Amino acid sequence: METHTTSPAGGLDPLLSLDELAAYLGVPVRTIYDWRTDGKGPCGVRVGKHVKFFVSDVREWLAQQRESSPGRSAEGR
């Protein structure tokens, strides 16, 4: 995942492409599409015909996926 330490354009949160997100998570791009269809995965934002993902939304979503303890699902799942 290519992220920048400084936010561009006056402090805006960096965006990841669908390909970058899939590579970062180590899953096929098709999985990201499936998650979006099923209402799972991080929220995206449409930029024209493209879907992008705020790095902060990806971090928040990942935190929600964390196991409550080893071998246990995240709370409320």
Side-chain angles (χ1 to χ4, degrees), residues 9-59:
L12 293 176
D13 196 7
L15 295 170
L16 298 176
S17 70
L18 206 135
D19 290 332
E20 290 171 325
L21 178 61
Y24 175 71
L25 295 176
V27 300
V29 171
R30 181 76 239 165
T31 298
I32 306 296
Y33 281 116
D34 290 344
W35 285 346
R36 290 186 52 76
T37 299
D38 296 340
K40 301 176 183 177
C43 292
V45 61
R46 283 220 170 261
V47 180
K49 65 178 182 173
H50 303 281
V51 177
K52 303 286 185 172
F53 301 87
F54 284 114
V55 170
S56 60
D57 287 342
V58 173
R59 286 184 180 134

